[in-house]
Amino acid sequence: MNNIIKIAFRNLYRQKRRSFLTMGIVAFGVLAVLLFSATAGSFKNFMISEITDSMLGHIQIHAKGYVSSLDNLPLDKTIKAKQIKEMEKILDEIPEIESYTYRILLGGMVSNYLESTSAKFSAIIPAKETKVAPLLEERLLKGEFLKKGEILLPEMITKGFDSKIGDDIVLVATNADGSVNGQPLKISGIMESVVGPTGKYGYIHFDDAKSILRMNETEISEVAIRLKNFNDLEKVNSILNEKLAAIKNKKDQPFFEIHTWEKLSPFYNIAKMIDMMSMFIKIILIGIVLVSIMNVMIMAVYERTKEIGAISAMGTLPSKIRLMFLFEGLFLGVFGSVIGVVASLIAIFIVNISNITVAFGRNSNILLQPEVSFSQIVMTALIVILVAIVAVLEPAFKASKLEPIEALRQN
Amino acid sequence: MSLISCQGISKIYKMGEVEIKALNNVSVEISKSQSISFIGPSGSGKTTMLNLFGVLDKPTSGTLKVIGTDISKLNYVERAKFRGEHLGFIFQNFNLIPVLTVYENVEYPLIMVKSIPPKERKEKVLSLLDAVGMLDQKDKLINQISGGQKQRVAIARSLTTDPKIVLADEPTANLDHESAYKVMSLMKRLSREIGTTFIFSTHDPKIVKEVDITYTIEDGVLVNREERNN
């Protein structure tokens, strides 16, 4: 076997330029795949983290039918105190959950006494909210985070109102019974808007929302959950679906509906598109490797037909001739992959130290920090090597089936 | 027992609709340790004869037994195995492997065809290179040696597997007069020393003079047999 490997290696070396060119093409393909996956992955992870950590949380629980009418922020589809208690029991028993918080979502009218505008608000319990959405505070452009009697207004409203931190405004809202109530609140901070379903919401304190909406008992619009490990998303989702299904509404149907961030954020489709683009790039890589290696090996068989005839005449078994060509293709794949992986790691390092930023939506400062996992490297290299072997199969079989007389006759 | 026994063999090639009879009802018996040459004009059928004796091809009709084996009963892989075990080849164009050194070319059949322990393999290769006078050139690549030297390497390679028969198709055709003479002398000496039967196809009168039996073929038919006491 060692000798077949040695001969295969030397056969590649005899056409140095061609072999290096082929390896270069393979390496370029590997570089393209790994660099794109690492960069797009970095962007995707950044955006997912932005969305989950600055507003959504990883999983949300609502009363059945709430999400489909989310645009109206209905106050008659809330989770009542009784269901909250039952749900709390279940949530506290799931070890994968790091923390959870309650929110009341409401629509209302804000006025600075000179002009008014409609806006949507998320009423939060600040201490709990920052555990579920740790990046929420980072969205604060000016001022301080929320306390009771205060309001965090989205940047666009404060610009329109020409409001400053410390200014008073009035929030007026209609409660579930249809009665209208208002409450003066002090602007404690200005929030940066982000992409996502509640990215342009203002924030008020949970107790203030209860007071404005005249809730005697606690009612909530949603529960936001943060997991200890993001990768447990599907596992916890299915546990919640199973356990919460036991809590029924008056129609004897499950009271709750559970959504992961993917179902709530339109960015999930972009994330999926990024994954699809990565896959397309991989398919292109497969094509490059397949065509380049197959082309080189077909040429090699053609050029060495007489030589194959001679070794075949001497009694070399077809299996050994096949193996020799398979090794040649394998080496092209392996060396091309190794060069590609090294080039990718260097390129990723360069991108990381270059502090390249990109803009997405209102976020103009997304720092690209590409990183590639060991499993991604291994997977890409394995794909290339496997495709290289597939590419060389046809020429290898052709070489091993050559009739020695015919082969020796070739000029 | 005859080393090669052929009874009434014919070989017909089809070129589209046209049939070409390369050999027509040929019968030959070849014994061990003889050196044989087949001579005749181009297209007379001598290379076809060698291809059949070399188990590279099968006769269209007739019986051909090489070392007691009816070759028409062997499949593609069995024929390859048979060639590796019993036959050696010397080609007009040498057909050495350019990426290997002189030593490695001679070693090649012992690696790819017969499995021999490395120590024994080395001894064998070195002794054959010594026998053909190429020991001092053993580390050179094929493109670094002359045509005559290439043919000497090819002779050494053909003998590494201890074949009973070595088939040489026009072995001196690409050599100058002096090289051709040296190569022929070498083959004659090795034939005597090792006891291997050499079968040549040739136009070269130098070869004809050196062999025990010469067959003349014309239009696929054996027309003459001439024996010499060399």
Side-chain angles (χ1 to χ4, degrees), chain A residues 4 6 16 34 60 85 109 131 148 169 175-176 186 190 211 213 247 250 258 268 351 374:
Chain A
I4 296 177
K6 187 168 82 179
K16 276 184 289 235
L34 288 179
Q60 289 188 0
K85 254 190 184 172
M109 192 76 85
K131 282 185 183 163
K148 213 171 157 184
I169 62 136
N175 73 0
K186 195 174 282 297
I190 298 166
S211 152
L213 299 173
I247 303 170
K250 284 173 191 166
I258 299 124
Y268 177 62
V351 174
F374 181 69

Side-chain angles (χ1 to χ4, degrees), chain A residues 10 306 312-313 320 402, chain B residues 76 83 89 93 104 111-112:
Chain A
R10 291 209 190 158
K306 204 161 190 171
S312 178
K320 288 188 177 173
L402 280 174
Chain B
Y76 186 81
R83 289 195 298 269
F89 292 87
N93 295 320
E104 287 164 340
I111 293 165
M112 295 293 265

Side-chain angles (χ1 to χ4, degrees), chain A residues 3-4 6-7 10-11 14 306-307 310-318 320 324 400-405 408-409, chain B residues 13 51 56-57 76-77 79-81 83-84 89 91 93 95 97-101 104 108-109 111-113 121 157:
Chain A
N3 292 295
I4 296 177
K6 187 168 82 179
I7 291 168
R10 291 209 190 158
N11 279 333
R14 76 164 105 171
K306 204 161 190 171
E307 191 180 308
I311 63 172
S312 178
M314 281 190 273
T316 307
L317 292 176
K320 288 188 177 173
M324 192 171 73
S400 71
K401 285 183 175 172
L402 280 174
E403 278 293 341
I405 303 178
L408 284 165
R409 251 183 228 146
Chain B
Y13 294 107
N51 287 340
L56 295 167
D57 207 350
Y76 186 81
V77 175
R79 279 192 284 144
K81 275 187 189 165
R83 289 195 298 269
F89 292 87
F91 304 100
N93 295 320
N95 285 328
I97 301 169
V99 289
L100 301 181
T101 62
E104 287 164 340
Y108 183 88
I111 293 165
M112 295 293 265
V113 181
R121 193 163 75 209
R157 182 179 68 176

Side-chain angles (χ1 to χ4, degrees), chain B residues 100-120:
Chain B
L100 301 181
T101 62
V102 165
Y103 178 92
E104 287 164 340
N105 263 285
V106 178
E107 188 191 32
Y108 183 88
L110 295 178
I111 293 165
M112 295 293 265
V113 181
K114 269 191 179 173
S115 254
I116 289 180
K119 195 181 164 198
E120 202 181 312

Side-chain angles (χ1 to χ4, degrees), chain A residues 362-395:
Chain A
R362 284 175 52 80
N363 202 333
S364 59
N365 211 23
I366 300 173
L367 179 65
L368 283 185
Q369 290 177 305
E371 54 180 26
V372 64
S373 66
F374 181 69
S375 62
Q376 255 180 314
I377 292 173
V378 171
M379 189 57 77
T380 308
L382 279 180
I383 289 172
V384 169
I385 291 165
L386 200 72
V387 173
I389 292 171
V390 170
V392 83
L393 278 178
E394 197 271 337

